[in-house]
Amino acid sequence: MSDTVQARELELVEGRLVLLAGGTSAAGRSAARTLREAGARVVIVGSDAARLADAALAAPGAATEQCDLTDADAVAALRERVHAVHGRVDGVLHLVGGWRGGGGLAGQSDDDFAFLLRSFEALRLVSRAFDDDLRASPAGRLAIVSSTSVTRPLAGGANYAAVKAASEAWTRAVAQGFAKSARDADRAISAAAVIFRVKSLEGLEDALAAAFVALWDDTADAFNDVVIEVGAGA
């Protein structure tokens, strides 16, 4: 990365408050570290205290919050705590996820679907809780990690692809809301909702982190309602 590009990136993301929902995974730790190195303020949110402590060690200076992101009351309380301690949020990266599948259509169990649906439920609750923050920010960004399976779902991953498709639809609705809010206020759009797609996230954690930080490299209208594929050589 050239000095000019690096300086521009630091200027745009520096000081932004970014919440990593489900940020105790390898992808979350990479995102937290990359954001901190770029000068952003980071709040890592997860449900497991030990994993949160490990994530904080990987990203010195990042704050942590323990929360069940599938519980509406808990998410509302999280918003109040974040506002009280850190202020309003400028960015959200949704990393609540997981994989269960296999066995063809007959193998798509209700238990697996309920497990996978937690990701969508967390997205709904977190995006609604911080929607006002992102709209009001001069550079609000919401991003999710989806899957290339959405474009070619297989029987053995039908539950997973269906949940990812629902998450993409929700994110696109958020994007439309950002655009409408700006249009109704007769101002330029300042918030963007983005879909990252991967075939598999394993090994691409740093690439995802860099792609997320790069969302502050341009104006919101360049990214709102955009699908970005993250992959080797992308």
Side-chain angles (χ1 to χ4, degrees), residues 83-210:
H83 283 175
V85 177
H86 306 286
R88 288 186 170 270
V89 167
D90 299 293
V92 174
L93 177 58
H94 178 72
L95 293 166
V96 180
W99 158 260
R100 289 188 183 182
L105 205 63
Q108 303 303 290
S109 72
D110 292 345
D111 286 345
D112 286 350
F113 184 67
F115 169 81
L116 294 167
L117 196 59
R118 291 173 60 86
S119 173
F120 179 58
E121 183 64 11
L123 173 62
R124 289 180 62 251
L125 294 176
V126 172
S127 62
R128 290 191 315 190
F130 293 99
D131 188 55
D132 286 345
D133 286 21
L134 297 176
R135 292 187 192 205
S137 170
R141 302 292 186 268
L142 167 73
I144 69 164
V145 181
S146 186
S147 169
T148 55
S149 67
V150 168
T151 62
R152 190 176 182 273
L154 304 178
N159 279 336
Y160 179 77
V163 169
K164 288 298 188 184
S167 297
E168 288 200 9
W170 183 272
T171 303
R172 294 195 67 194
V174 173
Q176 189 276 335
F178 288 163
K180 184 177 185 301
S181 177
R183 187 168 60 249
D184 289 349
D186 195 24
R187 62 173 176 80
I189 186 172
S190 61
V194 179
I195 296 164
F196 290 119
R197 282 190 191 147
V198 298
K199 183 176 182 180
S200 171
L201 190 51
E202 185 176 1
L204 294 177
E205 294 88 355
D206 290 348
L208 174 68

